[in-house]
Amino acid sequence: MILKDKVALVTGSTSGIGLAVARALASEGARIMLHGFGDRDANLALKEEMAALSGDLASYSDADLSSPDAIDALVAQCTDELGSPSILVNNAGVQHVAPVESFPTDKWDWIMAVNLSAVFHTTRLCLPSMRQRGWGRIINTASAHSIVASPNKAPYVAAKHGVAGFTKAVALEAARDGITVNCISPGYVWTPLVENQIPDTMKARGLTREQVMNDVLLAAQPTKRFVEPVEVAALALFLCRPESGSITGANLSMDGGWTAQ
Ligand code: NAD
């Protein structure tokens, strides 16, 4: 178990990609700070699953990442209950699809807060103890939308480009301290986040469900299949391995060839 005695805070790990990442890190012995919304009993059961996988402690928080105070409390809870995180996976994200001129301004603020500002807050709170320890891994789930754009997703695209830039800057600041900072940029992964945007995309573009799936989503992906959450998790786990120590400031695509076009 390569991550024994390491504490991993994985935001948005009650669902989708984050849950797969948490499972992968727990399977290598990491203490998992599970985090995210959803049914509390189901999430407490997931926390128990993490403890069983790692054979160590696990904890759970439903802190709202749109609130900097709640993020403070999340990192404090993790530190109190498990120890200070040496692996931080900034994974939680939200989406709303609409043309820019009719994009609700509160939804702009929400997407920026959860997808971008929260990454700043968790990072600034977790870096000092990583520096002290001389080892740390920060892995940000960005997106193919950190590299290219799609219509009707201006705030998401702006936030994800921001995550990619933030990743590079922090990687440079932490480069001499045994800390790597990278983002993983998946293409379309079949999770609730993608499933939930289908109705809005149908409305925005006047398309059927099948047209959205085949002509909008998978149209971008030469492999013509959705990325699997476990594939993203395997890359996140690799970034925690000792052999990955020279990978920093990178934006690692896992998008079935989307951004190669
Ligand atoms: P998901 O909807 O399955 O999971 C999102 C997680 O974030 C959940 O645990 C949810 O509870 C949590 N969350 C959302 N808002 C929150 C808030 N305000 N406070 C606390 N927790 C919150 O989504 P997913 O598809 O697994 O996405 C995970 C990440 O991957 C996101 O950053 C997303 O932008 C990115 N991503 C997803 C895809 C895709 O196709 N699914 C592609 C590229 C990038």
Side-chain angles (χ1 to χ4, degrees), residues 12-17 35-37 63-66 91-94 114 141-143 156 160 186-189 191-194:
S13 47
T14 54
S15 170
I17 295 168
H35 164 264
F37 295 154
D64 184 346
L65 295 182
S66 63
N91 167 78
V94 289
V114 177
T141 311
S143 166
Y156 186 87
K160 293 297 188 180
Y188 285 105
V189 188
T191 69
L193 183 137
V194 165

Side-chain angles (χ1 to χ4, degrees), residues 187-216:
Y188 285 105
V189 188
W190 189 251
T191 69
L193 183 137
V194 165
E195 211 172 344
N196 293 340
Q197 67 187 271
I198 289 178
D200 286 342
T201 309
M202 287 166 63
K203 204 164 99 192
R205 299 201 185 188
L207 300 174
T208 65
R209 185 180 170 82
E210 284 61 40
Q211 285 171 323
V212 170
M213 288 183 61
N214 296 320
D215 302 344
V216 179

Side-chain angles (χ1 to χ4, degrees), residues 3-8 22 25-26 29-34 46-60 77-83:
L3 301 179
K4 184 120 195 64
D5 299 325
K6 301 252 187 308
V7 175
L25 302 183
R31 293 182 173 185
I32 300 296
M33 184 73 201
L34 190 79
L46 285 176
K47 180 195 86 167
E48 292 310 320
E49 182 193 330
M50 298 302 154
L53 281 171
S54 66
D56 205 330
L57 299 172
S59 191
Y60 167 66
Q77 183 189 339
C78 180
T79 304
D80 286 352
E81 296 180 1
L82 304 178

Side-chain angles (χ1 to χ4, degrees), residues 7-223:
V7 175
L9 166 54
V10 186
T11 70
S13 47
T14 54
S15 170
I17 295 168
L19 177 56
V21 171
R23 283 184 172 130
L25 302 183
S27 300
E28 285 295 342
R31 293 182 173 185
I32 300 296
M33 184 73 201
L34 190 79
H35 164 264
F37 295 154
D39 179 79
R40 190 168 176 83
D41 287 342
N43 291 341
L44 290 173
L46 285 176
K47 180 195 86 167
E48 292 310 320
E49 182 193 330
M50 298 302 154
L53 281 171
S54 66
D56 205 330
L57 299 172
S59 191
Y60 167 66
S61 161
D62 63 357
D64 184 346
L65 295 182
S66 63
S67 154
D69 287 346
I71 296 172
D72 266 335
L74 168 64
V75 175
Q77 183 189 339
C78 180
T79 304
D80 286 352
E81 296 180 1
L82 304 178
S84 56
S86 51
I87 299 170
L88 169 63
V89 183
N90 285 306
N91 167 78
V94 289
Q95 174 66 291
H96 181 78
V97 178
V100 68
E101 67 272 31
S102 57
F103 213 96
T105 56
D106 61 334
K107 290 256 194 285
W108 165 277
D109 291 341
W110 173 63
I111 288 174
M112 287 297 157
V114 177
N115 292 8
L116 181 57
S117 299
V119 178
F120 159 64
H121 290 299
T122 54
T123 300
R124 72 179 171 77
L125 292 167
C126 293
L127 257 181
S129 60
M130 291 182 186
R131 279 195 210 279
Q132 259 175 14
R133 198 178 281 118
W135 194 91
R137 294 288 184 265
I138 301 178
I139 301 165
N140 300 322
T141 311
S143 166
H145 284 121
S146 75
I147 301 166
V148 295
S150 299
N152 303 314
K153 296 183 178 178
Y156 186 87
V157 169
K160 293 297 188 180
H161 275 65
V163 168
F166 180 80
T167 299
K168 291 185 201 174
V170 180
L172 298 181
E173 291 184 31
R176 302 285 290 271
D177 300 319
I179 301 165
T180 68
V181 190
N182 293 290
C183 38
I184 299 178
S185 283
Y188 285 105
V189 188
W190 189 251
T191 69
L193 183 137
V194 165
E195 211 172 344
N196 293 340
Q197 67 187 271
I198 289 178
D200 286 342
T201 309
M202 287 166 63
K203 204 164 99 192
R205 299 201 185 188
L207 300 174
T208 65
R209 185 180 170 82
E210 284 61 40
Q211 285 171 323
V212 170
M213 288 183 61
N214 296 320
D215 302 344
V216 179
L217 302 180
L218 291 180
Q221 237 154 261
T223 49

